[in-house]
Amino acid sequence: MKIVIHGLGRMGMQIARKLAESEQHEVFAHNRSPEPMTEAAGYGAKPTPDVSVIPDAFEGERAVIWVMLPAEITEQIVLEWTQRLPAGSIIINGANFDFRETKKLNEKVLAAGMELVDIGVSGGVWGYQNGFPLMCGSDNEEAFEYIRPVLETLAKPGGMYARFGTSGAGHYVKMVHNAIEYGMMQSLGEGFRMLHDGPYKGQIDLATAADLWQHHSVITSWLTELSRNALAENPELDGISGYVAESGEARWTLEAAKDLGIDLPAIQAAFDVRVRSQKGETNFATKVVAAQRNKFGGHNLNGEGRA
């Protein structure tokens, strides 16, 4: 099927590449700067600097636009697309987006005669290779069914996709996923700090400990694997400040939990550590978390990037 990928950052480029290389989809790649469009063309996508040609490019087929941009500019771009696309078009919001704002944006898209599908995307920079976990929400189940071929391609070989409910449900599931991620990452970071700074300081090889834990221990996980890899490459995590960015997902989860009267002490604590790290309160644990972020998401080792 035909699809436009608007936004060719780390995740958007992987999505465009995986779809184009499958040869099952005709991918139009748009980005504000030209260099990523040139890269996407090398994977078989069609660089499309002029978005005004997009409606005609679908040649009577239903238009599908996947917006993969930072949350702060996503609404503006989605609404711009509603001004140029025909009624019945489907716009996918793939940003890390507050589910409450998704529902509001959905009303605006529906008023324009179009469908909005929210998709939370996980898998980091490994999604292209491993397959993406895709968490979807939409008021119109038919719109979700229409884009199923795209989702099936992106989930191969080991990912998965599912529609969890009406508008905002996909972003809600992704929000909670990221909040859990904060807690898991912080717990591992603190554990490695205990090994690094504890009574056997200088004796314990942290990468070996992580490797052993990966052999069917209770904490076997991808995050443990990534920690092992980072510690094997840089045992003291030299050159990593320990500043850890936060994307908003855990913050939104905590806000929603407060509204619901649900206590989330572990996620709150992990969030608070990230906030303090941005004020200079860093240690070996926050260095481990920063290294994990770099391994799964390609984020800057000293705090830039979102996740």
Side-chain angles (χ1 to χ4, degrees), residues 77-156:
I77 298 301
V78 167
L79 294 178
E80 287 176 2
W81 277 111
T82 65
Q83 299 300 310
R84 64 173 69 99
L85 296 172
S89 298
I90 298 173
I91 302 175
I92 298 169
N93 177 358
N96 278 343
F97 211 75
D98 187 332
F99 78 99
R100 298 164 293 190
E101 298 303 316
T102 299
K103 293 193 288 185
K104 295 175 184 177
L105 180 57
N106 180 60
E107 293 301 318
K108 296 176 183 178
V109 173
L110 288 175
M114 303 172 198
E115 301 290 344
L116 183 71
V117 179
D118 51 284
I119 300 183
V121 183
S122 190
V125 295
W126 297 89
Y128 166 78
Q129 174 181 318
N130 297 334
F132 292 97
L134 303 166
M135 294 151 266
C136 310
S138 64
D139 279 354
N140 188 334
E141 187 171 359
E142 184 274 333
F144 170 75
E145 291 297 329
Y146 188 84
I147 65 170
R148 188 183 290 272
V150 164
L151 304 179
E152 289 179 347
T153 298
L154 292 175
K156 294 177 181 178

Side-chain angles (χ1 to χ4, degrees), residues 45-227:
K46 296 182 177 180
T48 313
D50 181 6
V51 294
S52 68
V53 307
I54 291 298
D56 289 339
F58 281 89
E59 299 175 326
E61 293 183 26
R62 193 174 191 179
V64 179
I65 313 295
W66 189 315
V67 178
M68 200 67 187
L69 293 166
E72 54 267 25
I73 62 171
T74 291
E75 178 169 354
Q76 173 192 334
I77 298 301
V78 167
L79 294 178
E80 287 176 2
W81 277 111
T82 65
Q83 299 300 310
R84 64 173 69 99
L85 296 172
S89 298
I90 298 173
I91 302 175
I92 298 169
N93 177 358
N96 278 343
F97 211 75
D98 187 332
F99 78 99
R100 298 164 293 190
E101 298 303 316
T102 299
K103 293 193 288 185
K104 295 175 184 177
L105 180 57
N106 180 60
E107 293 301 318
K108 296 176 183 178
V109 173
L110 288 175
M114 303 172 198
E115 301 290 344
L116 183 71
V117 179
D118 51 284
I119 300 183
V121 183
S122 190
V125 295
W126 297 89
Y128 166 78
Q129 174 181 318
N130 297 334
F132 292 97
L134 303 166
M135 294 151 266
C136 310
S138 64
D139 279 354
N140 188 334
E141 187 171 359
E142 184 274 333
F144 170 75
E145 291 297 329
Y146 188 84
I147 65 170
R148 188 183 290 272
V150 164
L151 304 179
E152 289 179 347
T153 298
L154 292 175
K156 294 177 181 178
M160 180 178 170
Y161 66 92
R163 175 178 177 266
F164 287 98
T166 55
S167 178
H171 282 156
Y172 185 82
V173 174
K174 177 57 161 56
M175 176 189 78
V176 175
H177 165 279
N178 277 31
I180 293 169
E181 177 184 298
Y182 276 41
M184 293 174 67
M185 293 172 70
Q186 182 61 28
S187 180
L188 281 167
E190 291 175 9
F192 285 113
R193 184 186 183 191
M194 284 295 292
L195 297 182
H196 183 268
D197 297 343
Y200 296 94
K201 184 179 177 69
Q203 297 182 46
I204 297 174
D205 185 306
L206 303 190
T208 299
D211 192 26
L212 188 149
W213 292 343
Q214 279 301 94
H215 285 74
H216 305 291
S217 83
V218 175
I219 62 169
T220 297
S221 69
W222 189 37
L223 284 172
T224 303
E225 176 187 345
L226 296 177
S227 301

